[in-house]
Amino acid sequence: MKIYCTRPGCHRPENHFAELDDRPTLLTVQQKYCITCGMPLILDGRYLPDKLLGKGGFGAAFLAHDRRTPTQRPCVVKLFQPEGTLNPQQQAIAQSLFDREAIVLEKLGSQHPQIPDLLAYFALQTPGWPQPQPEKQYFYIVQEFIDGQNLEQELQQKGKFSETEVLQLLQELLPVLQFIHENDTIHRDIKPSNIMRSRSQTVSQSGRLYLLDFGAVKLVTGAVSGKSTTIYSSGFAPPEQMAGRSVFPSTDLYALAVTCIVLLTGKLPKDLFDAYRNQWQWRSHTTVSDSLAAVLDRMLLPTPSDRFATATQVLTALSAPPTPPKLPISGSPSPPVSPSPPPLPPTTISKRPFSTNELLTGAGFIGFEGCLLLISLEMIIPNPAVGTLCWVLILGSLIWVQYQRWLTTRHLVIIATLSIGLAMSITPLPWSVVLLSSASAGLATILATAIFRLIYSIISHFI
């Protein structure tokens, strides 16, 4: 029998023991040790690692067998061992992430058929290696083994997913997300490699989908803070998670939508996101219905409150029937039917809403610029009526070009700098008065916009 050593860095981890092929011996042997590094091989007295499944920055996963079951049931043994040297605070954070996975699997795995069950959670104290290294403690999770293939492997093997396959994926996984969110948990690391499809027992049906790797989950109740740690998969995480801010159920919905467009297009997230426009450009790489595209686009919005709030809302939107055409009133002549206009290109079907940061930045610029213009025009145009008209036209033009997203942040800085120079060169007022007045106007505009947006959000919630 082969037993795989789980010690990180062991350069000959495969150990072979012919005597363990005898079942009575296998059941009664107390322990076996790695021939290379002396690491105990039979974990918790029962689990026999067979091969390495994968490893990352926080440890490794092994396929193992439980010698205490009649069929030596397969299972997955996950070792917690962060790479590199961590300070005490980093070690505590990493340890808490690993502990959370055990807590979540114990809490949720037994209650939902699409989340793996927790089988064991234990620590192992072992002599250091190579000598004279101090003793080390390793932590292990043992969970249910799902025999199948993750969706990243499936994409590489068969190519792009069809719309029907992605709809089936959403129908299967959204109830799982709703379940974990209702249990005060956020997964925070949804991606194709963390979704496993079990091997089907029949040729005509695909296997069940499972949500894996709860090592980055976030508990959102009790004394646990809602602030996110910087643990995420690049490309799949939304802005609030990458910035280390609070995470929400819509954080998982964003990652699920990125997973869907990756499966639909066969491309990496970095190839689908336009950093210059700060928006996803994925529709031109695939063909899907407008209804599915609209749902995915909303899930991908940068502001959490603009997305769907719950997985159930996404399911409702996916099942909503298309709006039927209006029929003419009986007895009235039917209007002539004009040919339908050609569909718009996928990238121009909808305009991305402005995020809260974009709105407040734009409002601050308009307030600041409006005050500078007012000071300058008073000196250039002595007629108050004409000056006011010019002020309204110039400010309205600035608002319009901002709405069209023709101005970048660099453009705003250039315009503001030129305006400051103009105002200071023609006004007798001290430069400190000019800057203080303009900054105050900008802050007042930001405050007014924030209050208006808050009132609008509250009213929209109840309507």
Side-chain angles (χ1 to χ4, degrees):
M1 172 176 286
K2 181 182 73 174
I3 307 181
Y4 200 97
C5 176
T6 60
R7 187 196 295 272
C10 179
H11 51 270
R12 288 186 180 177
E14 292 189 0
N15 296 266
H16 297 270
F17 302 97
E19 66 273 21
L20 297 186
D21 291 331
D22 178 61
R23 182 162 180 78
T25 303
L26 176 65
L27 294 176
T28 56
V29 67
Q30 293 298 310
Q31 184 57 273
K32 288 290 184 179
Y33 298 90
C34 178
I35 299 173
T36 302
C37 69
M39 180 79 168
L41 297 176
I42 303 177
L43 303 176
D44 202 31
R46 63 188 300 174
Y47 300 108
L48 309 168
D50 181 60
K51 68 176 180 179
L52 177 68
L53 293 176
K55 59 182 179 179
F58 280 85
F62 305 87
L63 176 64
H65 292 83
D66 184 356
R67 68 169 177 164
R68 301 300 184 194
T69 59
T71 60
Q72 295 188 37
R73 176 179 60 184
C75 54
V76 174
V77 172
K78 299 183 74 172
L79 164 68
F80 168 67
Q81 181 60 40
E83 291 180 352
T85 302
L86 302 182
N87 61 41
Q89 183 180 6
Q90 293 170 327
Q91 179 75 22
I93 292 174
Q95 178 67 56
S96 69
L97 288 173
F98 196 72
D99 291 343
R100 283 181 194 141
E101 179 163 17
I103 293 170
V104 170
L105 287 177
E106 182 180 38
K107 178 182 178 182
L108 304 183
S110 61
Q111 300 181 45
H112 200 286
Q114 290 169 267
I115 299 175
D117 289 337
L118 176 72
L119 303 180
Y121 176 58
F122 56 91
L124 174 64
Q125 193 80 21
T126 181
W129 179 83
Q131 294 293 341
Q133 293 289 329
E135 283 192 346
K136 281 195 173 182
Q137 190 174 38
Y138 298 94
F139 294 88
Y140 295 87
I141 282 177
V142 184
Q143 66 184 52
E144 176 187 4
F145 171 67
I146 308 301
D147 184 16
Q149 189 177 46
N150 68 49
L151 296 191
E152 182 179 71
Q153 297 167 331
E154 194 172 312
L155 178 64
Q156 294 171 352
Q157 179 179 316
K158 77 178 192 65
K160 299 179 184 179
F161 281 45
S162 67
E163 177 172 353
T164 300
E165 290 173 320
V166 167
L167 283 171
Q168 182 183 3
L169 162 69
L170 290 169
Q171 295 288 347
E172 283 198 57
L173 281 188
L174 284 168
V176 184
L177 284 182
Q178 185 66 30
F179 170 76
I180 69 172
H181 294 161
E182 288 174 350
N183 281 273
D184 305 312
T185 303
I186 297 170
H187 188 280
R188 297 195 311 151
D189 196 22
I190 295 173
K191 56 185 177 180
S193 60
N194 283 342
I195 302 171
M196 179 76 75
R197 191 190 304 277
S198 64
R199 301 191 191 280
S200 176
Q201 301 299 317
T202 63
V203 178
S204 60
Q205 294 182 351
S206 59
R208 170 181 283 175
L209 293 177
Y210 289 80
L211 189 57
L212 305 181
D213 200 354
F214 282 76
V217 294
K218 189 68 176 180
L219 303 179
V220 293
T221 57
V224 180
S225 169
K227 295 293 183 181
S228 171
T229 58
T230 54
I231 303 296
Y232 56 83
S233 294
S234 178
F236 292 89
E240 70 271 13
Q241 188 176 354
M242 291 191 293
R245 297 193 295 266
S246 298
V247 292
F248 315 93
S250 62
T251 301
D252 282 345
L253 298 180
Y254 182 102
L256 180 59
V258 178
T259 296
C260 289
I261 65 175
V262 166
L263 296 176
L264 283 167
T265 63
K267 294 183 176 294
L268 297 174
K270 66 182 180 66
D271 298 324
L272 299 173
F273 187 78
D274 186 342
Y276 182 77
R277 293 183 175 85
N278 192 34
Q279 59 185 230
W280 292 94
Q281 300 283 355
W282 63 274
R283 293 198 187 187
S284 59
H285 299 286
T286 186
T287 302
V288 297
S289 65
D290 288 346
S291 57
L292 175 59
V295 169
L296 292 177
D297 280 342
R298 182 173 174 186
M299 295 168 70
L300 290 168
L301 291 175
T303 305
S305 61
D306 291 338
R307 305 173 203 142
F308 295 98
T310 66
T312 300
Q313 289 183 2
V314 182
L315 284 169
T316 302
L318 289 172
S319 60
T323 304
K326 294 183 179 180
L327 298 176
I329 301 175
S330 179
S332 63
S334 299
V337 178
S338 59
S340 299
L344 293 173
T347 56
T348 61
I349 289 178
S350 60
K351 190 179 184 69
R352 179 175 62 85
F354 286 90
S355 67
T356 301
N357 287 338
E358 289 174 323
L359 284 174
L360 297 182
T361 301
F365 171 77
I366 290 299
F368 184 85
E369 192 66 23
C371 184
L372 287 175
L373 283 172
L374 192 61
I375 294 173
S376 302
L377 291 173
E378 283 182 350
M379 301 302 300
I380 298 173
I381 304 174
N383 190 317
V386 176
T388 301
L389 178 61
C390 292
W391 182 79
V392 170
L393 290 176
I394 296 174
L395 211 58
S397 299
L398 287 174
I399 294 173
W400 170 252
V401 295
Q402 282 196 91
Y403 174 75
Q404 295 297 325
R405 287 192 171 92
W406 293 343
L407 297 179
T408 64
T409 303
R410 182 168 62 89
H411 294 141
L412 299 183
V413 172
I414 293 173
I415 293 173
T417 303
L418 293 176
S419 300
I420 292 172
L422 175 63
M424 289 183 176
S425 64
I426 63 176
T427 180
L429 296 173
W431 65 268
S432 57
V433 174
V434 174
L435 290 179
L436 182 60
S437 301
S438 301
S440 299
L443 291 174
T445 312
I446 290 174
L447 179 60
T449 304
I451 293 174
F452 175 81
R453 185 171 176 83
L454 176 62
I455 295 173
Y456 176 81
S457 300
I458 293 173
I459 294 175
S460 300
H461 179 74
F462 291 101
I463 295 180

